Amino acid sequence: WDVRVLYDGDCPLCVREVDFLRRKDAGRGKLDLVDIASARYDPSANRGIEFATAMSTIHGIEPNGDVITGVEVFERAYAAVGLGWVYAFAKVPALLAAANKAYDFWAERRMEVTGRGSLTEVLELRRR
């Protein structure tokens, strides 16, 4: 795989994006898509990224083990499936910074927007 994407499988919008990427990958294995909401999620298999950390923003892992976050994950994933042009703007530092601010705004609120409560509530439910 070109990039492992750690995604929130309980987020309907996240799942929609991952399903789109999975279809574009078409079984070529360019993406390794890991659902952090799964009971089988194992931080030790994912550079030690705990559930709470993974829930704060999207994380990706490169084949060499480097961890990436935010819009860079999308840029790598889309490039891996032949759609690099979609995130070509991410090569411009100022545009990447602006996109990351917008994404962080969304990531912070996605649980409430999708009717799942706050991150604190989701983490408490997971702990139980």
Side-chain angles (χ1 to χ4, degrees):
W1 42 266
D2 292 352
V3 64
R4 173 177 291 163
V5 177
L6 308 183
Y7 72 95
D8 178 3
D10 286 340
C11 169
L13 297 173
C14 304
V15 169
R16 185 175 297 151
E17 180 115 10
V18 165
D19 286 347
F20 170 77
L21 289 167
R22 187 176 282 122
R23 284 191 306 275
K24 292 299 178 184
D25 188 35
R28 292 178 292 156
K30 296 290 189 174
L31 299 175
D32 184 22
L33 303 166
V34 176
D35 179 0
I36 63 169
S38 167
R40 295 182 312 271
Y41 176 69
D42 180 7
S44 68
N46 294 289
R47 303 291 291 161
I49 300 168
E50 297 290 335
F51 177 76
T53 300
M55 285 294 285
S56 67
T57 191
I58 192 164
H59 285 71
I61 303 170
E62 298 180 317
N64 68 2
D66 288 349
V67 174
I68 54 177
T69 60
V71 173
E72 189 176 357
V73 176
F74 295 105
E75 187 270 325
R76 301 284 174 87
Y78 274 68
V81 298
L83 296 172
W85 58 270
V86 173
Y87 281 90
F89 69 86
K91 301 291 185 200
V92 179
L95 294 178
L96 176 60
N100 272 320
K101 283 184 188 262
Y103 177 77
D104 289 345
F105 181 84
W106 154 251
E108 242 178 68
R109 292 158 181 81
R110 77 181 188 284
M111 284 162 282
E112 289 96 345
V113 169
T114 59
R116 294 169 43 212
S118 69
L119 177 56
T120 302
E121 292 168 324
V122 169
L123 294 176
E124 179 59 25
L125 284 172
R126 175 88 173 194
R127 188 187 62 75
R128 289 185 207 162

